[in-house]
Amino acid sequence: MSILKDKNILLGVTAGIAAYKTAHLVRQFIKAGANIKVVMTPASKDFITPLTLSTLSKNPVYSSFTNEDDDNTMWNNHVELGLWADLFVIAPATANTMSKMANGTCDNLLLATYLSAKCPVYFAPAMDLDMYKHESTKISFDKLNSFGNIIIPATSGELASGLVGEGRMAEPEDIVAFIEADILDKLPLKGKKVIVTAGPTYEALDPVRFIGNHSSGKMGFEIANAAANLGAEVILVSGPTHQKTSHSLVKVHPVVSAQEMYDEVHKHYKGADIAILSAAVADYRPKEIADKKIKKSDSTFTIELEKTKDILKSLGQQKDQQFLVGFALETNNELEHAKGKLESKNLDLIVLNSLRDKGAGFGVSTNKVTFITKSNEVIENELKSKAEVAKDLMYQILKQVNA
Ligand code: CTP
């Protein structure tokens, strides 16, 4: 999954021949899972039609302050457009538009939107080689750079003029790859390794039966995705579940029993920076596993259980540089129990789930949690989707790690 998935990308098209490539660029962004809106300078419509770009982006294309098709009674709100965008990508960026951007000129909708946008701005210059090298263009580059705008450098090759040199707009695939790499590079967990456990464990009784629980694994998978969205390399050790993730930074390590989860987690713990144990691990397992299916005989049947190894506790004992997070599912004296676990298992943070809260716990897509930190800070949260809870948790971890 691309880091651009679900991002709102505003594509600004200006009047250069490379504008014809923006059809392909829009396709690439869509393929990456982004939402696209396009804003064009009036002159760029001579190079590619708004109809092409609106069809491909599945959104109206904006090129003037008012909507001509609507007798100019509809105001195209540049502020809204600028604020909608998570990223503003201007491709191709002509010398003219860059100079206007650099100097605060605001004589078309694209430029007004540029001045209104608060998000990161990328621009992919495209022009003839002498224009590209011109001092005035360099001044534009420097000024835009000083505003924090990011240049996607032009490449060398044959230009529309027939001359060969620098000035060709980067290819659409390369523009997308450049932006993805740039975002990843700046993410707060870039280069960090995060272990997440998820789902239930199944403890075998015989070849066909097991003791398990109703954990869906959803919370753990959401945490793994949230950590990966911050740039972390995630090792997701999961018990049996139907959950899936296609995030390129998440590697799923499927396990079945508590012992397998223990072994797999310990394999990766040494080099990890953060470990978040959200799995509902069985606390007990059958002492004996029958090698053949157990036949029914007496009217009652007793299974002797023995304790499984406490993965979280063992990680707490071996803790080095890792930031360790546990979960506690409680029904009474919640805070007291959770704080007790935080201390006894040597955790940095514990996520408390109270079964008394409606919408929290197993099998639902929402959760209501309280974070308790090592310094005894208690942070209560509203009932939220598990995806939101996962984001809140990662934010809280980042805050604590950087404190
Ligand atoms: N956990 C673990 N290994 C186990 C059992 C639990 O790593 N064998 C982890 C869970 O992933 C969770 C936390 O420990 O992060 C839950 O703590 P635990 O004390 O086991 O909670 P409960 O099972 O609720 O304990 P109790 O029944 O004593 O309340």
Side-chain angles (χ1 to χ4, degrees):
M1 190 177 80
S2 166
I3 195 79
L4 297 179
K5 183 163 163 30
D6 297 330
K7 287 256 183 321
N8 290 339
I9 300 181
L10 182 62
L11 174 64
V13 180
T14 73
I17 180 62
Y20 85 91
K21 293 184 181 174
T22 55
H24 191 48
L25 182 57
V26 170
R27 286 288 309 134
Q28 294 298 309
F29 281 139
I30 296 269
K31 228 169 103 183
N35 309 310
I36 307 292
K37 287 187 182 177
V38 180
V39 57
M40 304 177 77
T41 60
S44 72
K45 293 194 280 185
D46 290 336
F47 293 94
I48 183 152
T49 72
L51 182 61
T52 304
L53 296 177
S54 70
T55 308
L56 292 172
S57 66
K58 302 182 183 77
N59 271 315
V61 166
Y62 309 93
S63 59
S64 57
F65 287 100
T66 53
N67 199 332
E68 291 147 34
D69 296 340
D70 221 3
D71 289 338
N72 294 328
T73 52
M74 270 288 277
W75 171 249
N76 287 328
N77 191 330
H78 56 92
V79 178
E80 246 171 44
L81 213 47
L83 294 180
W84 171 85
D86 297 317
L87 302 173
F88 191 8
V89 181
I90 300 167
T94 58
N96 183 41
T97 290
M98 286 189 301
S99 163
K100 288 179 176 179
M101 284 159 66
N103 290 294
T105 308
C106 183
D107 61 1
N108 63 42
L109 182 69
L110 187 149
L111 290 162
T113 308
Y114 167 71
L115 288 179
S116 309
K118 289 189 183 157
C119 61
V121 176
Y122 293 85
F123 61 101
M127 65 200 74
D128 212 50
L129 75 167
D130 293 315
M131 293 169 81
Y132 196 71
K133 278 195 197 129
H134 200 280
E135 272 312 306
S136 149
T137 309
K138 279 192 191 151
I139 290 171
S140 296
F141 288 163
D142 289 346
K143 266 199 168 176
L144 294 177
N145 184 33
S146 76
F147 301 160
N149 300 165
I150 302 141
I151 183 169
I152 304 173
T155 60
S156 271
E158 192 179 333
L159 301 165
S161 62
L163 298 173
V164 176
E166 217 176 354
R168 265 168 76 117
M169 184 179 84
E171 292 302 322
E173 285 85 354
D174 297 332
I175 291 179
V176 174
F178 180 98
I179 296 170
E180 286 173 334
D182 188 67
I183 294 174
L184 277 175
D185 215 45
K186 290 173 181 154
L187 289 174
L189 290 180
K190 156 97 180 144
K192 302 278 182 208
K193 192 161 129 187
V194 176
I195 301 176
V196 179
T197 68
T201 63
Y202 288 178
E203 309 304 324
L205 199 56
D206 70 12
V208 293
R209 301 182 180 95
F210 61 83
I211 297 174
N213 61 65
H214 289 300
S215 167
S216 66
K218 191 163 174 53
M219 193 64 243
F221 273 67
E222 293 291 4
I223 293 169
N225 281 341
N229 282 338
L230 295 174
E233 179 206 330
V234 181
I235 292 157
L236 175 55
V237 182
S238 174
T241 165
H242 296 299
Q243 304 294 325
K244 286 195 170 51
T245 172
S246 53
H247 205 301
S248 58
L249 289 172
V250 180
K251 185 152 189 323
V252 182
H253 296 247
V255 294
V256 177
S257 65
Q259 183 61 48
E260 284 176 16
M261 188 173 274
Y262 179 96
D263 292 340
E264 196 59 33
V265 168
H266 279 80
K267 250 192 240 170
H268 304 280
Y269 188 53
K270 214 169 165 39
D273 299 284
I274 299 168
I276 307 166
L277 272 62
S278 70
V281 187
D283 289 326
Y284 291 92
R285 65 180 175 198
K287 196 163 180 197
E288 306 285 344
I289 304 174
D291 53 4
K292 295 201 179 56
K293 187 182 167 205
I294 300 167
K295 290 284 182 196
K296 60 177 169 297
S297 51
D298 299 340
S299 59
T300 60
F301 180 65
T302 306
I303 307 166
E304 193 179 352
L305 300 176
E306 65 181 4
K307 259 195 177 158
T308 56
K309 286 187 197 154
D310 190 326
I311 309 167
L312 186 59
K313 190 169 182 180
S314 137
L315 298 187
Q317 282 159 355
Q318 295 171 30
K319 196 159 73 153
D320 195 0
Q321 79 286 353
Q322 299 89 345
F323 188 92
L324 187 56
V325 182
F327 273 66
L329 182 64
E330 306 292 343
T331 53
N332 59 304
N333 293 341
E334 291 91 339
L335 269 182
E336 190 190 325
H337 285 142
K339 282 181 183 173
K341 282 178 189 170
L342 177 91
E343 214 163 285
S344 68
K345 299 193 185 192
N346 190 23
L347 311 181
D348 297 288
L349 190 128
I350 194 156
V351 182
L352 165 65
N353 263 308
S354 169
L355 269 192
R356 283 198 287 188
D357 284 325
K358 272 212 176 90
F362 285 179
V364 287
S365 59
T366 51
N367 209 350
K368 185 173 182 329
V369 298
T370 302
F371 302 136
I372 305 161
T373 70
K374 214 158 99 168
S375 53
N376 237 333
E377 207 185 335
V378 176
I379 301 136
E380 292 191 22
N381 296 281
E382 300 293 308
L383 180 71
K384 292 183 180 179
S385 71
K386 286 186 174 168
E388 290 293 325
V389 172
K391 272 198 232 166
D392 288 352
L393 173 60
M394 290 317 301
Y395 169 74
Q396 197 51 240
I397 293 172
L398 275 179
K399 208 171 135 188
Q400 301 291 325
V401 167
N402 296 325

PDB file of all heavy atoms in Angstrom, residues 199-232:
ATOM      1  N   GLY A 199      -4.788 -10.214  17.823  1.00  0.00           N
ATOM      2  CA  GLY A 199      -5.644 -11.394  17.717  1.00  0.00           C
ATOM      3  C   GLY A 199      -5.624 -12.290  18.939  1.00  0.00           C
ATOM      4  O   GLY A 199      -5.002 -11.980  19.951  1.00  0.00           O
ATOM      5  N   PRO A 200      -6.327 -13.432  18.814  1.00  0.00           N
ATOM      6  CA  PRO A 200      -6.363 -14.391  19.925  1.00  0.00           C
ATOM      7  C   PRO A 200      -5.213 -15.376  19.786  1.00  0.00           C
ATOM      8  O   PRO A 200      -4.441 -15.308  18.823  1.00  0.00           O
ATOM      9  CB  PRO A 200      -7.677 -15.124  19.673  1.00  0.00           C
ATOM     10  CG  PRO A 200      -7.789 -15.144  18.170  1.00  0.00           C
ATOM     11  CD  PRO A 200      -7.109 -13.902  17.661  1.00  0.00           C
ATOM     12  N   THR A 201      -5.062 -16.268  20.743  1.00  0.00           N
ATOM     13  CA  THR A 201      -4.230 -17.454  20.513  1.00  0.00           C
ATOM     14  C   THR A 201      -5.146 -18.657  20.674  1.00  0.00           C
ATOM     15  O   THR A 201      -6.168 -18.583  21.365  1.00  0.00           O
ATOM     16  CB  THR A 201      -3.043 -17.550  21.491  1.00  0.00           C
ATOM     17  OG1 THR A 201      -3.556 -17.681  22.817  1.00  0.00           O
ATOM     18  CG2 THR A 201      -2.125 -16.353  21.396  1.00  0.00           C
ATOM     19  N   TYR A 202      -4.801 -19.723  20.000  1.00  0.00           N
ATOM     20  CA  TYR A 202      -5.561 -20.977  20.107  1.00  0.00           C
ATOM     21  C   TYR A 202      -4.671 -21.987  20.816  1.00  0.00           C
ATOM     22  O   TYR A 202      -3.532 -22.233  20.377  1.00  0.00           O
ATOM     23  CB  TYR A 202      -5.908 -21.535  18.722  1.00  0.00           C
ATOM     24  CG  TYR A 202      -6.983 -20.776  17.957  1.00  0.00           C
ATOM     25  CD1 TYR A 202      -7.329 -21.194  16.661  1.00  0.00           C
ATOM     26  CD2 TYR A 202      -7.664 -19.686  18.503  1.00  0.00           C
ATOM     27  CE1 TYR A 202      -8.309 -20.529  15.937  1.00  0.00           C
ATOM     28  CE2 TYR A 202      -8.644 -19.018  17.782  1.00  0.00           C
ATOM     29  CZ  TYR A 202      -8.958 -19.438  16.498  1.00  0.00           C
ATOM     30  OH  TYR A 202      -9.923 -18.783  15.779  1.00  0.00           O
ATOM     31  N   GLU A 203      -5.184 -22.579  21.861  1.00  0.00           N
ATOM     32  CA  GLU A 203      -4.408 -23.558  22.621  1.00  0.00           C
ATOM     33  C   GLU A 203      -5.010 -24.937  22.381  1.00  0.00           C
ATOM     34  O   GLU A 203      -6.147 -25.220  22.798  1.00  0.00           O
ATOM     35  CB  GLU A 203      -4.419 -23.201  24.113  1.00  0.00           C
ATOM     36  CG  GLU A 203      -4.023 -21.760  24.406  1.00  0.00           C
ATOM     37  CD  GLU A 203      -2.655 -21.364  23.854  1.00  0.00           C
ATOM     38  OE1 GLU A 203      -1.736 -22.217  23.854  1.00  0.00           O
ATOM     39  OE2 GLU A 203      -2.491 -20.204  23.402  1.00  0.00           O
ATOM     40  N   ALA A 204      -4.266 -25.770  21.701  1.00  0.00           N
ATOM     41  CA  ALA A 204      -4.800 -27.068  21.256  1.00  0.00           C
ATOM     42  C   ALA A 204      -5.094 -28.002  22.430  1.00  0.00           C
ATOM     43  O   ALA A 204      -4.370 -28.035  23.421  1.00  0.00           O
ATOM     44  CB  ALA A 204      -3.806 -27.719  20.307  1.00  0.00           C
ATOM     45  N   LEU A 205      -6.184 -28.740  22.238  1.00  0.00           N
ATOM     46  CA  LEU A 205      -6.611 -29.738  23.215  1.00  0.00           C
ATOM     47  C   LEU A 205      -6.351 -31.121  22.627  1.00  0.00           C
ATOM     48  O   LEU A 205      -5.924 -32.058  23.284  1.00  0.00           O
ATOM     49  CB  LEU A 205      -8.117 -29.527  23.417  1.00  0.00           C
ATOM     50  CG  LEU A 205      -8.819 -30.051  24.611  1.00  0.00           C
ATOM     51  CD1 LEU A 205      -8.162 -29.528  25.874  1.00  0.00           C
ATOM     52  CD2 LEU A 205     -10.289 -29.575  24.572  1.00  0.00           C
ATOM     53  N   ASP A 206      -6.659 -31.217  21.355  1.00  0.00           N
ATOM     54  CA  ASP A 206      -6.392 -32.429  20.567  1.00  0.00           C
ATOM     55  C   ASP A 206      -6.262 -31.955  19.119  1.00  0.00           C
ATOM     56  O   ASP A 206      -6.297 -30.740  18.872  1.00  0.00           O
ATOM     57  CB  ASP A 206      -7.484 -33.487  20.830  1.00  0.00           C
ATOM     58  CG  ASP A 206      -8.843 -33.120  20.249  1.00  0.00           C
ATOM     59  OD1 ASP A 206      -8.912 -32.171  19.441  1.00  0.00           O
ATOM     60  OD2 ASP A 206      -9.836 -33.775  20.583  1.00  0.00           O
ATOM     61  N   PRO A 207      -6.132 -32.830  18.135  1.00  0.00           N
ATOM     62  CA  PRO A 207      -5.899 -32.333  16.764  1.00  0.00           C
ATOM     63  C   PRO A 207      -7.042 -31.484  16.191  1.00  0.00           C
ATOM     64  O   PRO A 207      -6.839 -30.780  15.212  1.00  0.00           O
ATOM     65  CB  PRO A 207      -5.715 -33.612  15.944  1.00  0.00           C
ATOM     66  CG  PRO A 207      -5.351 -34.661  16.932  1.00  0.00           C
ATOM     67  CD  PRO A 207      -6.014 -34.300  18.219  1.00  0.00           C
ATOM     68  N   VAL A 208      -8.232 -31.561  16.769  1.00  0.00           N
ATOM     69  CA  VAL A 208      -9.340 -30.794  16.174  1.00  0.00           C
ATOM     70  C   VAL A 208      -9.929 -29.723  17.100  1.00  0.00           C
ATOM     71  O   VAL A 208     -10.763 -28.934  16.681  1.00  0.00           O
ATOM     72  CB  VAL A 208     -10.489 -31.728  15.706  1.00  0.00           C
ATOM     73  CG1 VAL A 208     -10.035 -32.601  14.549  1.00  0.00           C
ATOM     74  CG2 VAL A 208     -11.022 -32.572  16.851  1.00  0.00           C
ATOM     75  N   ARG A 209      -9.537 -29.698  18.350  1.00  0.00           N
ATOM     76  CA  ARG A 209     -10.166 -28.745  19.282  1.00  0.00           C
ATOM     77  C   ARG A 209      -9.123 -27.821  19.905  1.00  0.00           C
ATOM     78  O   ARG A 209      -7.964 -28.187  20.045  1.00  0.00           O
ATOM     79  CB  ARG A 209     -10.885 -29.493  20.397  1.00  0.00           C
ATOM     80  CG  ARG A 209     -11.965 -30.424  19.891  1.00  0.00           C
ATOM     81  CD  ARG A 209     -12.648 -31.073  21.072  1.00  0.00           C
ATOM     82  NE  ARG A 209     -13.699 -31.977  20.661  1.00  0.00           N
ATOM     83  CZ  ARG A 209     -13.513 -33.286  20.518  1.00  0.00           C
ATOM     84  NH1 ARG A 209     -12.338 -33.832  20.736  1.00  0.00           N
ATOM     85  NH2 ARG A 209     -14.519 -34.043  20.151  1.00  0.00           N
ATOM     86  N   PHE A 210      -9.595 -26.667  20.287  1.00  0.00           N
ATOM     87  CA  PHE A 210      -8.690 -25.721  20.952  1.00  0.00           C
ATOM     88  C   PHE A 210      -9.466 -24.850  21.928  1.00  0.00           C
ATOM     89  O   PHE A 210     -10.698 -24.783  21.870  1.00  0.00           O
ATOM     90  CB  PHE A 210      -7.982 -24.828  19.923  1.00  0.00           C
ATOM     91  CG  PHE A 210      -8.918 -23.990  19.092  1.00  0.00           C
ATOM     92  CD1 PHE A 210      -9.423 -22.775  19.565  1.00  0.00           C
ATOM     93  CD2 PHE A 210      -9.303 -24.409  17.828  1.00  0.00           C
ATOM     94  CE1 PHE A 210     -10.283 -22.000  18.804  1.00  0.00           C
ATOM     95  CE2 PHE A 210     -10.176 -23.640  17.050  1.00  0.00           C
ATOM     96  CZ  PHE A 210     -10.664 -22.443  17.543  1.00  0.00           C
ATOM     97  N   ILE A 211      -8.731 -24.188  22.803  1.00  0.00           N
ATOM     98  CA  ILE A 211      -9.333 -23.165  23.663  1.00  0.00           C
ATOM     99  C   ILE A 211      -8.909 -21.823  23.067  1.00  0.00           C
ATOM    100  O   ILE A 211      -7.716 -21.589  22.828  1.00  0.00           O
ATOM    101  CB  ILE A 211      -8.812 -23.278  25.111  1.00  0.00           C
ATOM    102  CG1 ILE A 211      -9.224 -24.632  25.697  1.00  0.00           C
ATOM    103  CG2 ILE A 211      -9.338 -22.127  25.967  1.00  0.00           C
ATOM    104  CD1 ILE A 211      -8.634 -24.909  27.072  1.00  0.00           C
ATOM    105  N   GLY A 212      -9.890 -20.975  22.792  1.00  0.00           N
ATOM    106  CA  GLY A 212      -9.566 -19.682  22.175  1.00  0.00           C
ATOM    107  C   GLY A 212     -10.413 -18.577  22.764  1.00  0.00           C
ATOM    108  O   GLY A 212     -11.030 -18.760  23.818  1.00  0.00           O
ATOM    109  N   ASN A 213     -10.443 -17.437  22.126  1.00  0.00           N
ATOM    110  CA  ASN A 213     -11.312 -16.346  22.589  1.00  0.00           C
ATOM    111  C   ASN A 213     -11.808 -15.543  21.388  1.00  0.00           C
ATOM    112  O   ASN A 213     -11.424 -15.818  20.251  1.00  0.00           O
ATOM    113  CB  ASN A 213     -10.572 -15.458  23.605  1.00  0.00           C
ATOM    114  CG  ASN A 213      -9.339 -14.809  22.993  1.00  0.00           C
ATOM    115  OD1 ASN A 213      -9.445 -13.994  22.085  1.00  0.00           O
ATOM    116  ND2 ASN A 213      -8.164 -15.184  23.483  1.00  0.00           N
ATOM    117  N   HIS A 214     -12.663 -14.566  21.649  1.00  0.00           N
ATOM    118  CA  HIS A 214     -13.358 -13.870  20.558  1.00  0.00           C
ATOM    119  C   HIS A 214     -12.585 -12.693  19.975  1.00  0.00           C
ATOM    120  O   HIS A 214     -13.149 -11.927  19.205  1.00  0.00           O
ATOM    121  CB  HIS A 214     -14.717 -13.366  21.057  1.00  0.00           C
ATOM    122  CG  HIS A 214     -15.704 -14.467  21.277  1.00  0.00           C
ATOM    123  ND1 HIS A 214     -16.114 -15.305  20.272  1.00  0.00           N
ATOM    124  CD2 HIS A 214     -16.336 -14.889  22.400  1.00  0.00           C
ATOM    125  CE1 HIS A 214     -16.968 -16.184  20.742  1.00  0.00           C
ATOM    126  NE2 HIS A 214     -17.114 -15.956  22.053  1.00  0.00           N
ATOM    127  N   SER A 215     -11.322 -12.512  20.325  1.00  0.00           N
ATOM    128  CA  SER A 215     -10.593 -11.357  19.787  1.00  0.00           C
ATOM    129  C   SER A 215     -10.574 -11.415  18.246  1.00  0.00           C
ATOM    130  O   SER A 215     -10.251 -12.450  17.659  1.00  0.00           O
ATOM    131  CB  SER A 215      -9.157 -11.359  20.318  1.00  0.00           C
ATOM    132  OG  SER A 215      -8.387 -10.442  19.568  1.00  0.00           O
ATOM    133  N   SER A 216     -10.913 -10.275  17.603  1.00  0.00           N
ATOM    134  CA  SER A 216     -10.953 -10.246  16.131  1.00  0.00           C
ATOM    135  C   SER A 216      -9.595  -9.876  15.539  1.00  0.00           C
ATOM    136  O   SER A 216      -9.354 -10.073  14.352  1.00  0.00           O
ATOM    137  CB  SER A 216     -11.979  -9.212  15.673  1.00  0.00           C
ATOM    138  OG  SER A 216     -11.538  -7.908  16.056  1.00  0.00           O
ATOM    139  N   GLY A 217      -8.737  -9.284  16.356  1.00  0.00           N
ATOM    140  CA  GLY A 217      -7.432  -8.832  15.848  1.00  0.00           C
ATOM    141  C   GLY A 217      -7.476  -7.440  15.262  1.00  0.00           C
ATOM    142  O   GLY A 217      -6.446  -6.882  14.870  1.00  0.00           O
ATOM    143  N   LYS A 218      -8.690  -6.846  15.191  1.00  0.00           N
ATOM    144  CA  LYS A 218      -8.834  -5.554  14.501  1.00  0.00           C
ATOM    145  C   LYS A 218      -7.987  -4.445  15.136  1.00  0.00           C
ATOM    146  O   LYS A 218      -7.316  -3.687  14.428  1.00  0.00           O
ATOM    147  CB  LYS A 218     -10.313  -5.143  14.484  1.00  0.00           C
ATOM    148  CG  LYS A 218     -10.586  -3.970  13.585  1.00  0.00           C
ATOM    149  CD  LYS A 218     -12.048  -3.837  13.253  1.00  0.00           C
ATOM    150  CE  LYS A 218     -12.342  -2.576  12.466  1.00  0.00           C
ATOM    151  NZ  LYS A 218     -11.533  -2.382  11.271  1.00  0.00           N
ATOM    152  N   MET A 219      -8.015  -4.394  16.457  1.00  0.00           N
ATOM    153  CA  MET A 219      -7.265  -3.319  17.144  1.00  0.00           C
ATOM    154  C   MET A 219      -5.775  -3.419  16.798  1.00  0.00           C
ATOM    155  O   MET A 219      -5.132  -2.424  16.452  1.00  0.00           O
ATOM    156  CB  MET A 219      -7.492  -3.459  18.663  1.00  0.00           C
ATOM    157  CG  MET A 219      -7.059  -2.272  19.479  1.00  0.00           C
ATOM    158  SD  MET A 219      -7.993  -0.776  19.131  1.00  0.00           S
ATOM    159  CE  MET A 219      -6.734   0.271  18.496  1.00  0.00           C
ATOM    160  N   GLY A 220      -5.236  -4.629  16.863  1.00  0.00           N
ATOM    161  CA  GLY A 220      -3.805  -4.819  16.585  1.00  0.00           C
ATOM    162  C   GLY A 220      -3.451  -4.467  15.147  1.00  0.00           C
ATOM    163  O   GLY A 220      -2.402  -3.854  14.885  1.00  0.00           O
ATOM    164  N   PHE A 221      -4.322  -4.855  14.200  1.00  0.00           N
ATOM    165  CA  PHE A 221      -4.041  -4.543  12.794  1.00  0.00           C
ATOM    166  C   PHE A 221      -4.104  -3.033  12.564  1.00  0.00           C
ATOM    167  O   PHE A 221      -3.315  -2.477  11.796  1.00  0.00           O
ATOM    168  CB  PHE A 221      -5.005  -5.297  11.862  1.00  0.00           C
ATOM    169  CG  PHE A 221      -4.514  -6.673  11.510  1.00  0.00           C
ATOM    170  CD1 PHE A 221      -4.432  -7.665  12.483  1.00  0.00           C
ATOM    171  CD2 PHE A 221      -4.079  -6.975  10.225  1.00  0.00           C
ATOM    172  CE1 PHE A 221      -3.949  -8.941  12.180  1.00  0.00           C
ATOM    173  CE2 PHE A 221      -3.591  -8.238   9.904  1.00  0.00           C
ATOM    174  CZ  PHE A 221      -3.527  -9.227  10.880  1.00  0.00           C
ATOM    175  N   GLU A 222      -5.037  -2.364  13.226  1.00  0.00           N
ATOM    176  CA  GLU A 222      -5.116  -0.900  13.086  1.00  0.00           C
ATOM    177  C   GLU A 222      -3.862  -0.245  13.667  1.00  0.00           C
ATOM    178  O   GLU A 222      -3.353   0.734  13.119  1.00  0.00           O
ATOM    179  CB  GLU A 222      -6.362  -0.332  13.785  1.00  0.00           C
ATOM    180  CG  GLU A 222      -7.687  -0.745  13.152  1.00  0.00           C
ATOM    181  CD  GLU A 222      -7.932  -0.132  11.775  1.00  0.00           C
ATOM    182  OE1 GLU A 222      -7.057   0.560  11.255  1.00  0.00           O
ATOM    183  OE2 GLU A 222      -9.019  -0.383  11.207  1.00  0.00           O
ATOM    184  N   ILE A 223      -3.370  -0.784  14.787  1.00  0.00           N
ATOM    185  CA  ILE A 223      -2.156  -0.216  15.397  1.00  0.00           C
ATOM    186  C   ILE A 223      -0.975  -0.412  14.440  1.00  0.00           C
ATOM    187  O   ILE A 223      -0.169   0.501  14.226  1.00  0.00           O
ATOM    188  CB  ILE A 223      -1.867  -0.879  16.765  1.00  0.00           C
ATOM    189  CG1 ILE A 223      -2.961  -0.500  17.762  1.00  0.00           C
ATOM    190  CG2 ILE A 223      -0.492  -0.473  17.294  1.00  0.00           C
ATOM    191  CD1 ILE A 223      -2.923  -1.297  19.057  1.00  0.00           C
ATOM    192  N   ALA A 224      -0.901  -1.604  13.853  1.00  0.00           N
ATOM    193  CA  ALA A 224       0.203  -1.881  12.918  1.00  0.00           C
ATOM    194  C   ALA A 224       0.159  -0.897  11.747  1.00  0.00           C
ATOM    195  O   ALA A 224       1.188  -0.314  11.365  1.00  0.00           O
ATOM    196  CB  ALA A 224       0.101  -3.316  12.412  1.00  0.00           C
ATOM    197  N   ASN A 225      -1.029  -0.676  11.199  1.00  0.00           N
ATOM    198  CA  ASN A 225      -1.148   0.266  10.073  1.00  0.00           C
ATOM    199  C   ASN A 225      -0.801   1.688  10.498  1.00  0.00           C
ATOM    200  O   ASN A 225      -0.128   2.420   9.762  1.00  0.00           O
ATOM    201  CB  ASN A 225      -2.572   0.255   9.504  1.00  0.00           C
ATOM    202  CG  ASN A 225      -2.808  -0.938   8.598  1.00  0.00           C
ATOM    203  OD1 ASN A 225      -1.860  -1.558   8.113  1.00  0.00           O
ATOM    204  ND2 ASN A 225      -4.065  -1.286   8.392  1.00  0.00           N
ATOM    205  N   ALA A 226      -1.256   2.073  11.695  1.00  0.00           N
ATOM    206  CA  ALA A 226      -0.988   3.442  12.165  1.00  0.00           C
ATOM    207  C   ALA A 226       0.517   3.650  12.359  1.00  0.00           C
ATOM    208  O   ALA A 226       1.051   4.711  12.016  1.00  0.00           O
ATOM    209  CB  ALA A 226      -1.745   3.710  13.466  1.00  0.00           C
ATOM    210  N   ALA A 227       1.202   2.633  12.887  1.00  0.00           N
ATOM    211  CA  ALA A 227       2.653   2.750  13.083  1.00  0.00           C
ATOM    212  C   ALA A 227       3.359   2.828  11.727  1.00  0.00           C
ATOM    213  O   ALA A 227       4.289   3.620  11.526  1.00  0.00           O
ATOM    214  CB  ALA A 227       3.176   1.574  13.896  1.00  0.00           C
ATOM    215  N   ALA A 228       2.897   2.001  10.784  1.00  0.00           N
ATOM    216  CA  ALA A 228       3.496   2.005   9.439  1.00  0.00           C
ATOM    217  C   ALA A 228       3.252   3.344   8.745  1.00  0.00           C
ATOM    218  O   ALA A 228       4.113   3.849   8.019  1.00  0.00           O
ATOM    219  CB  ALA A 228       2.937   0.857   8.614  1.00  0.00           C
ATOM    220  N   ASN A 229       2.075   3.929   8.976  1.00  0.00           N
ATOM    221  CA  ASN A 229       1.788   5.238   8.378  1.00  0.00           C
ATOM    222  C   ASN A 229       2.716   6.317   8.909  1.00  0.00           C
ATOM    223  O   ASN A 229       2.865   7.370   8.303  1.00  0.00           O
ATOM    224  CB  ASN A 229       0.335   5.649   8.639  1.00  0.00           C
ATOM    225  CG  ASN A 229      -0.619   4.931   7.703  1.00  0.00           C
ATOM    226  OD1 ASN A 229      -0.216   4.459   6.630  1.00  0.00           O
ATOM    227  ND2 ASN A 229      -1.865   4.812   8.101  1.00  0.00           N
ATOM    228  N   LEU A 230       3.340   6.057  10.048  1.00  0.00           N
ATOM    229  CA  LEU A 230       4.321   7.009  10.581  1.00  0.00           C
ATOM    230  C   LEU A 230       5.729   6.631  10.146  1.00  0.00           C
ATOM    231  O   LEU A 230       6.714   7.167  10.641  1.00  0.00           O
ATOM    232  CB  LEU A 230       4.228   7.051  12.109  1.00  0.00           C
ATOM    233  CG  LEU A 230       2.917   7.599  12.668  1.00  0.00           C
ATOM    234  CD1 LEU A 230       2.872   7.457  14.184  1.00  0.00           C
ATOM    235  CD2 LEU A 230       2.744   9.072  12.296  1.00  0.00           C
ATOM    236  N   GLY A 231       5.825   5.645   9.262  1.00  0.00           N
ATOM    237  CA  GLY A 231       7.121   5.305   8.666  1.00  0.00           C
ATOM    238  C   GLY A 231       7.831   4.129   9.307  1.00  0.00           C
ATOM    239  O   GLY A 231       8.925   3.768   8.861  1.00  0.00           O
ATOM    240  N   ALA A 232       7.226   3.522  10.333  1.00  0.00           N
ATOM    241  CA  ALA A 232       7.916   2.419  11.022  1.00  0.00           C
ATOM    242  C   ALA A 232       7.880   1.141  10.194  1.00  0.00           C
ATOM    243  O   ALA A 232       6.953   0.920   9.410  1.00  0.00           O
ATOM    244  CB  ALA A 232       7.257   2.157  12.369  1.00  0.00           C
TER     245      ALA A 232
END
